[in-house]
Every structure is written in structure tokens, then in C-alpha cells.
Amino acid sequence: MPDNVSHVIADLLLAWYDANARLLPWRAPPGTPPPDPYRVWLSEVMLQQTQVAAVIPYFEKFTTRWPDFASLAAADDADVMSAWAGLGYYARARNLLAAARAVAGEHGGRLPEDEAALRKLPGFGAYTAAAVAAIAFGQRAVVVDGNVERVVTRLFAVTDPLPGAKPQVLELTDSITPDARAGDFAQAMMDLGATLCTPRSPKCLLCPLAEACAARRSGTPEAFPVKAKKAARPVRYGTFFWLERDGAVLLVRRPAKGLLGGMRALPTGPWADSPPGLADAPVAADWTLRNAAIRHVFTHFELNAVLATATLARHIDAVDGEWWPIARLDEAGLPRLFAKAVEAMESEA
């Protein structure tokens, strides 16, 4: 793209952003000095595969409790995982702690400003490193999230399907990213995708880039981005064990690595290709399989689980886990999957 055209696109978009930027707790107003790098980084990690509206209360809770790298680095793992419960994709929380500890221990409590140095920290992929470098430090970096991807594929009418077209989208985004105000430009692209250039019914009449947009000229902007057909998710089956004793239910801590790692949860049997029944029950008891079905979709598979319930009338020392008061389960920090099981029990009560 000729330089003069790319400059016009950047200028139009930044002018629109100056007047229409979303007010978000981790941002600085357009054209002002960059915001606190800690808040930028924390928000970017939370926003991965999560909507802004869902992130805001978590962000405010985290920054109140852990306002900087030092306080987060010193936090107890279980406390952070519990505070994260409900946001999903729990590897982000584990990387959050690891990165905070690396910054506190190896970088004097300050994030490196260079994109390449940021990539060396836990959880800093290409997108997060570019976003933090641009937004927190004003570095010129090419920032491509889902919103930017949609804007760029429409702006240039990219006909190759995603995800194969990602390198092309990165190159095209690079071609319109300005040297100055790169952080504002990245956030302007995100805001444009979130508010006007939406997946369905894009508001082209309000878009500052409408005249330059090839997809709009084609008459079918909603046809972009083109996406390759997804393979069907495999289905797995499981059993959640609800073991009661004296008004409490048995909770366990999942292994640190793997799905929902480090989180409190109900005991489960294997997640298998066929219903596992009572395999790997936490104790020998008079288990009852309930009709309640719990369905949860992970990135790579769908889990269909059932509930098995039992009540102990006596103390058993050999049970691994902790007895959590049923009346206070909302304080346990259960991930959404297991919160669904609690809701299923409540509906049967």
C-alpha cells in the first residue's frame, strides 16, 4: 500500500479514536502519556478470549488486592486461582503469577519495554508482547487481536481463509501501523472492531474507514473474514462426585498442570470416550447417579458429565481434599464447570 494511503488510514482512525475511545479502567485517554504497564499487561492477559464487560470487575478486584508486580508476585497461588475463577482459560492465571515473579525477581519490578524482551516472559506470546510494547511504552509494534483481524480482512477484502491468512493479516496491519501513537492506533483498531466493524451487521455508515474499505465496496462486508470450516469437537464423558458430610462437601485441588490446573473442584473420575460411571470415586460409598447433566465446551473438546452423590454419616480420615461448607460454596473459587455442578445440585434440592 502506498505510504500516503496508509497515512490517511491511520490519521482517519486516530481522529475517530480521539472522539470515540471507550473509557476503560486500564486505559489512558487518547494522546496522553501511556498508562501503568502493570495495568496494561494485566488487562491484556484477562482480555484474551474474554469479553470486556466480563473482565472489568475482575480487573478492578485484582488491582485493588494486588496493585503492582511486587504484591502479585508475593500472592499465594491458591488465592490468585480462586480470584480468577470464572474467567476461564486458567493457564493464563498460572502464567500471570509466573510473569509477575519473573518481573519482580529479575527485572526490578518493572516490565522490559522492548517487544523481544517481553516475549521471554511467561505467557507473553506475540500478541501480548506487541500490545504491551505499543500501549504501555509507545513502541511501534504490530498488534493483531480478533477485532483487528476482522477490520483488516474487511479493509483489504482478504479472501484467503483464516487461520491460514494470519501472516498476510499481520503484514497488512504492519503496512498501516504508524510510527507515532502506535498504542492509540492499536486500541483504535480494537475499538472499531468492537463497536462498528462487528461480526454481524457492521455499521459501515459510521465507520471512519468506509471509503477505503474493499469489503464495503464489495457489498458484503459481513462475509469477511473468511474462515476455514471447523472440525467437529470430540465429546468426552465424566462423572462428578458430590460427597457430603455434616453440611459440607468434599473439594479437591486439581493438579497444577493441565486443564483447570490448581483450582478447587469436585472430585471427578476420568474424562473418557464413553461414560465412566463410578470409576475413581473418592471413597467407597452408596453412590447415586443423578439425572442432572452438566455440559461444558472447552477449546478442543466438549465434556458431558453426570453427578454422583453420596452422604457420609461418619468421619473418614483417608479422604484427600477439604470439606467445604455447602452454604459457602460461592466463596470456594470454583471454575465455571464445577459451578454448573453446584447449580445442578441446587436445582434438584
Side-chain angles (χ1 to χ4, degrees):
M1 173 178 288
D3 283 347
N4 62 325
V5 177
S6 63
H7 288 159
V8 167
I9 288 175
D11 290 345
L12 286 170
L13 187 62
L14 286 168
W16 173 84
Y17 181 68
D18 288 344
N20 297 281
R22 289 180 292 176
L23 299 176
L24 299 172
W26 46 83
R27 276 190 180 172
T32 64
D36 178 0
Y38 173 78
R39 295 171 70 86
V40 174
W41 162 71
L42 180 61
S43 69
E44 289 299 337
V45 174
M46 288 184 165
L47 286 164
Q48 292 167 16
Q49 303 186 8
T50 308
Q51 297 294 319
V52 166
V55 165
I56 289 174
Y58 282 88
F59 177 84
E60 291 176 338
K61 178 172 63 175
F62 262 73
T63 51
T64 298
R65 189 170 181 182
W66 301 297
D68 51 31
F69 285 105
S71 57
L72 183 58
D76 181 76
D77 290 43
D79 288 343
V80 173
M81 298 304 291
S82 293
W84 190 273
L87 270 179
Y89 301 96
Y90 292 94
R92 293 182 296 168
R94 295 193 292 274
N95 283 331
L96 199 75
L97 269 172
R101 288 166 181 165
V103 170
E106 301 166 22
H107 297 278
R110 297 173 62 87
L111 274 176
E113 298 186 14
D114 178 71
E115 189 176 353
L118 288 168
R119 286 292 302 271
K120 297 177 182 179
L121 292 169
F124 274 80
Y127 166 76
T128 304
V132 171
I135 298 168
F137 299 113
Q139 305 279 342
R140 186 191 184 279
V142 184
V143 183
V144 181
D145 71 349
N147 282 314
V148 176
E149 205 167 61
R150 184 166 59 257
V151 170
V152 170
T153 56
R154 288 175 176 172
L155 189 60
F156 295 93
V158 176
T159 55
D160 292 342
L162 293 170
K166 284 181 179 291
Q168 182 184 1
V169 172
L170 183 68
E171 182 178 338
L172 290 169
T173 308
D174 190 6
S175 75
I176 60 173
T177 299
D179 292 332
R181 296 187 66 187
D184 281 351
F185 179 82
Q187 292 175 108
M189 291 285 278
M190 296 174 193
D191 280 10
L192 189 70
T195 62
L196 298 184
C197 197
T198 51
R200 289 174 291 278
S201 302
K203 302 175 180 66
C204 296
L205 292 176
L206 300 175
C207 179
L209 305 183
E211 293 301 318
C213 182
R216 178 177 180 267
R217 291 196 296 272
S218 76
T220 56
E222 65 279 355
F224 299 89
V226 179
K227 294 186 178 180
K229 188 176 180 180
K230 290 184 179 180
R233 283 188 180 90
V235 178
R236 296 182 189 170
Y237 300 88
T239 302
F240 297 167
F241 295 99
W242 180 280
L243 186 62
E244 283 191 35
R245 190 197 74 192
D246 297 332
V249 64
L250 181 67
L251 298 181
V252 296
R253 185 76 67 176
R254 291 184 62 80
K257 294 185 177 180
L259 279 173
L260 310 177
M263 304 295 293
R264 287 194 185 96
L266 294 171
T268 75
W271 294 355
D273 294 334
S274 59
L278 300 177
D280 294 346
V283 298
D286 186 15
W287 293 101
T288 299
L289 284 169
R290 303 280 184 165
N291 291 325
I294 298 114
R295 177 179 175 271
H296 194 79
V297 178
F298 291 96
T299 304
H300 300 298
F301 69 94
E302 174 185 321
L303 177 66
N304 290 331
V306 296
L307 269 170
T309 63
T311 301
L312 295 181
R314 57 190 174 82
H315 181 71
I316 295 181
D317 291 326
V319 177
D320 291 329
E322 57 186 321
W323 294 101
W324 195 276
I326 294 172
R328 292 173 42 219
L329 274 172
D330 60 337
E331 302 171 20
L334 295 176
R336 180 62 189 144
L337 169 61
F338 294 100
K340 288 180 181 179
V342 175
E343 292 166 5
M345 281 298 296
E346 291 173 344
S347 67
E348 290 207 349

